Amino acid sequence: MKRLFTISFIILLLNNASYSQDEFEMWYKLSPEIRLNIKYTPWEFRLRPDDHIILPKYYSQYIGQNHIGRTDVMLGANIWKFKLFSYSKFDYLGSMWTGARFDFNTSLFNKKLLINIQERLFFGLNEESDNHYYLVQFIRYKVAKKIQAGVLSYGKWKYAWPYETDEEKIPFNSQHWFIGPTANFVLPYNFNIHVALTKSIFYERTYMTFIRLGYRIYIERKNKKEEYYFFH
């Protein structure tokens, strides 16, 4: 039963024809990620050397090409069920940002249901870089020992800063929000893969296929095992 569920889920995620619209546009996001954890410390380092978005061909008339590559660098610490990262990123069009990422992680039902909520706030470092904010909601359920199925909700908004003092709140604009089913697979040798097929809420016929291949590196200091109950 679990094998049948997994096969069906993969077909759903990868088959664009599963959606009924005759015409739609598909975005593709490919995001390899390397994680470095030092055991018995709260610290975590993440690198996405080429986080890539592939857009329909007509985007070339606006940005000169139909794809955008980016490099992300994160350094963070685990604090109980929370993670706080210093987060910087640089894309191939000359844009640069720095900011913070805040994660909340918890589990229910004997750790079968996993809940991850992320907030990311970025400040542009040059004229090509708009300030923006992310809200990510990621819910997964363990359907097998190394397989999780769930839902990914992924929102992004640009915001103006500084802003006029007579504004009641910081004005947000140029919003994107995608939501859809996901599947996670734990692979040998500390690899994992996450696949999602999401639909835009604000743009009726826009979809995004999201694929992340992750690799985790553990470093253990053999001479000293520090306890850090406050962080872990």
Side-chain angles (χ1 to χ4, degrees):
M1 183 64 182
K2 291 179 179 178
R3 182 176 300 177
L4 178 61
F5 174 85
T6 303
I7 294 173
S8 302
F9 205 88
I10 295 172
I11 293 173
L12 172 65
L13 290 174
L14 299 182
N15 182 9
N16 294 344
S18 63
Y19 290 89
S20 60
Q21 284 92 339
D22 295 329
E23 295 182 3
F24 62 89
E25 69 175 51
M26 177 65 70
W27 300 7
Y28 297 91
K29 184 174 177 66
L30 310 175
S31 182
E33 180 178 85
I34 300 171
R35 295 189 186 186
L36 173 64
N37 291 90
I38 303 175
K39 289 188 176 181
Y40 312 112
T41 76
W43 302 107
E44 181 173 317
F45 174 78
R46 299 189 186 186
L47 172 66
R48 298 175 187 168
D50 187 15
D51 189 291
H52 223 94
I53 295 180
I54 302 172
L55 302 166
K57 291 183 178 180
Y58 76 84
Y59 277 85
S60 299
Q61 62 184 306
Y62 304 112
I63 60 175
Q65 58 192 40
N66 71 322
H67 59 93
I68 303 173
R70 197 184 72 216
T71 299
D72 294 10
V73 180
M74 288 169 269
L75 177 63
N78 296 280
I79 307 173
W80 189 50
K81 294 184 178 182
F82 302 93
K83 290 184 180 181
L84 180 62
F85 290 94
S86 172
Y87 195 153
S88 297
K89 56 184 184 177
F90 319 88
D91 75 16
Y92 300 171
L93 300 177
S95 300
M96 299 183 293
W97 301 268
T98 192
R101 168 176 162 176
F102 180 76
D103 286 27
F104 171 72
N105 301 281
T106 191
S107 61
L108 300 170
F109 307 118
N110 198 26
K111 297 185 177 181
K112 288 187 176 293
L113 182 66
L114 308 175
I115 300 173
N116 173 245
I117 299 174
Q118 303 175 21
E119 288 187 287
R120 308 174 192 173
L121 186 67
F122 291 100
F123 298 95
L125 298 179
N126 56 25
E127 294 181 355
E128 292 79 18
S129 313
D130 293 316
N131 301 330
H132 56 277
Y133 165 81
Y134 288 90
L135 177 62
V136 181
Q137 298 161 310
F138 189 19
I139 301 174
R140 296 161 288 165
Y141 188 82
K142 291 184 178 180
V143 298
K145 184 177 181 181
K146 296 184 178 182
I147 302 172
Q148 303 165 2
V151 175
L152 173 66
S153 174
Y154 179 93
K156 175 185 176 181
W157 295 264
K158 294 180 182 178
Y159 66 91
W161 184 269
Y163 64 101
E164 297 296 329
T165 55
D166 58 351
E167 294 279 355
E168 294 182 1
K169 58 183 179 181
I170 299 176
F172 285 85
N173 54 61
S174 299
Q175 67 266 28
H176 292 290
W177 189 293
F178 292 87
I179 186 170
T182 73
N184 282 68
F185 305 91
V186 178
L187 306 177
Y189 306 107
N190 291 335
F191 283 95
N192 65 81
I193 188 169
H194 168 213
V195 184
L197 182 56
T198 58
K199 181 184 184 301
S200 172
I201 293 177
F202 298 118
Y203 302 94
E204 180 181 357
R205 296 182 178 181
T206 301
Y207 299 84
M208 179 170 66
T209 297
F210 177 90
I211 301 174
R212 170 167 294 152
L213 178 63
Y215 176 62
R216 177 169 288 183
I217 302 171
Y218 291 99
I219 296 178
E220 182 173 351
R221 300 190 301 176
K222 295 182 178 180
N223 296 330
K224 186 177 181 180
K225 296 183 179 181
E226 295 181 352
E227 296 181 354
Y228 59 104
Y229 295 113
F230 176 75
F231 290 99
H232 186 59

